[in-house]
Amino acid sequence: MRKPSEQDRPVAARPKGRGATSNSQSRFDHWTRVAETDGWGAEEAESELPRLATRLTLQAARSILTSNESPDVPFDRSINPYRGCEHGCIYCYARPSHATLGLSPGLDFESRLFAKTNAPELLQAEFRRPGYVCQPVALGVNTDAYQPVERRLALTRRILDVLRDCGHPVTIITKSALVLRDLDLLRPMAAAGLARVDISITTLDHDLARHLEPRASSPARRLEVISALRSAGIPCGVMVAPVIPFLTDAQLESTLEAASAAGATIAGYVLLRLPLEVFGLFEDWLRTHHPLKADHVLARLRGMRGGRNNDPAFGSRMRGQGVMADLLAQRFEKASRRLGLSRRGKALDTTRFRPPPPPGQSSLF
């Protein structure tokens, strides 16, 4: 009898330490795979399922800077050193991108990772272009630049080396305490007005976070990271994201208060977004972990999304629309004013930028 593989893994056999409850097909697949059992030896079969290991593919990317024209975010370019994210956040809006690789936005997204090993060299080449105009680059906005594999590859650190050497400003957003490894780079960059770090906190509830974002740093640890960053003189913000009705929305004020007490001076929030396959993955997760709240959560979201599961429109996709969305925005603004939290923070310095020297030629300074 053939031993079951990862692709045969049924929803009932939830991999420990993973966010998604399935490896559902992507929108590009022309067939559907369904795991079934006839009841004979079902318990034994599940017990034989292999542990879902993380597989990493090293690849040479063709480009590294991603441009952005959305008015909803405060940056026009970003860098993502990795595709896929081992943190396994069930709500991650980047999950559908794995479908373009012929992989599932479900378990594949958090276990089949791709590292852009030539990212630092591509970034240097981009900075050498005669027409390049310096503006702050956002690091790790699609998938976390400090996810567990970074501990071994140090790809994000190599990118920071390039940014530091060129005097290029950078903003970082992460859920990982691993960012503290790079304090030796970030501290002098921040002193020169070149760096800011935002820590994403979805909830202060440890048990809820363990299922929502299973391989990210705990909420308590993230607050410690904010404190350490502030002590190192690095401007730090908190991103309360995503806000999930009936699951995390009641903690909006307490999360802002805890982050402010830890040293955050900047704050933002994003309403839960469920584009493409993320809706089905999140619904499966919700009915698995919070079955009694599932219908209420989805109904409230639709009420804040104009009756749809997702709203991709600029201006409303991050905040929602309608009475409940307006109420959430008012709560955030009121709490932020009370705590002295800024929406944007001080602008980073773009005047220090100097392109790197041509390959093989050292700088004269």
Side-chain angles (χ1 to χ4, degrees), residues 59-365:
Q59 63 177 199
R62 289 180 293 181
S63 62
I64 193 59
L65 280 182
T66 301
S67 61
N68 164 62
E69 298 180 355
S70 170
D72 300 319
V73 293
F75 57 85
D76 68 353
R77 66 200 69 181
S78 62
I79 300 174
N80 294 287
Y82 302 101
R83 296 191 71 170
C85 186
E86 198 173 359
H87 282 165
C89 305
I90 189 59
Y91 51 75
C92 183
Y93 63 83
R95 284 182 177 272
S97 64
H98 247 44
T100 63
L101 302 174
L103 298 172
S104 170
L107 291 171
D108 280 346
F109 176 79
E110 50 196 277
S111 63
R112 301 281 298 277
L113 310 181
F114 298 82
K116 304 172 186 177
T117 54
N118 60 336
E121 293 76 19
L122 287 175
L123 189 59
Q124 288 179 319
E126 186 70 32
F127 288 168
R128 291 190 190 102
R129 292 177 56 190
Y132 182 78
V133 177
C134 177
Q135 288 297 328
V137 62
L139 182 55
V141 292
N142 210 39
T143 57
D144 204 309
Y146 284 100
Q147 59 179 288
V149 70
E150 167 64 16
R151 194 176 302 277
R152 174 161 56 93
L153 294 185
L155 186 53
T156 296
R157 183 175 176 85
R158 290 171 54 207
I159 290 172
L160 284 177
D161 278 331
V162 173
L163 294 167
R164 177 204 56 191
D165 293 345
C166 294
H168 197 292
V170 61
T171 61
I172 297 171
I173 184 164
T174 181
K175 296 182 176 73
S176 175
L178 183 57
V179 67
L180 297 181
R181 177 202 62 187
D182 294 337
L183 283 182
D184 61 319
L185 297 176
L186 293 171
R187 187 183 289 110
M189 290 183 72
L194 296 175
R196 188 185 102 193
V197 179
D198 292 332
I199 302 300
S200 177
I201 302 179
T202 311
T203 175
L204 297 178
D205 185 323
H206 178 83
D207 290 335
L208 178 57
R210 185 165 54 88
H211 294 115
L212 267 176
E213 30 198 42
R215 298 198 177 191
S217 296
S218 70
R221 182 66 176 128
R222 286 181 235 179
L223 291 172
E224 292 174 358
V225 171
I226 292 176
S227 181
L229 290 167
R230 182 63 184 271
S231 297
I234 299 167
C236 187
V238 60
M239 178 61 72
V240 185
V243 176
I244 306 174
F246 296 110
L247 283 187
T248 71
D249 60 338
Q251 301 175 43
L252 176 62
E253 289 84 358
S254 59
T255 302
L256 290 172
E257 289 166 2
S260 176
T265 58
I266 309 159
Y269 82 97
V270 177
L271 180 65
L272 176 65
R273 297 168 57 196
L274 298 175
L276 303 171
E277 294 94 339
V278 182
F279 175 79
L281 290 165
F282 180 77
E283 182 179 20
D284 288 346
W285 177 92
L286 194 57
R287 296 194 184 282
T288 296
H289 295 286
H290 299 278
L292 299 181
K293 292 183 177 181
D295 289 336
H296 298 291
V297 172
L298 296 176
R300 175 60 58 84
L301 275 172
R302 291 189 183 101
M304 301 170 78
R305 294 295 188 189
R308 294 177 290 176
N309 293 329
N310 185 60
D311 175 14
F314 289 162
S316 60
R317 62 182 184 140
M318 300 294 191
R319 300 287 182 263
Q321 55 184 299
V323 174
M324 299 309 298
D326 292 344
L327 178 59
L328 183 64
Q330 292 170 22
R331 289 172 55 198
F332 174 81
E333 294 294 343
K334 183 176 180 180
S336 295
R337 284 197 304 269
R338 173 169 55 85
L339 297 167
L341 295 169
S342 167
R343 288 295 300 272
R344 292 294 176 107
K346 185 179 179 180
L348 297 180
D349 189 357
T350 59
T351 65
R352 296 174 180 268
F353 174 70
R354 297 294 182 273
Q361 177 179 323
S362 300
S363 172
L364 298 178
F365 303 98

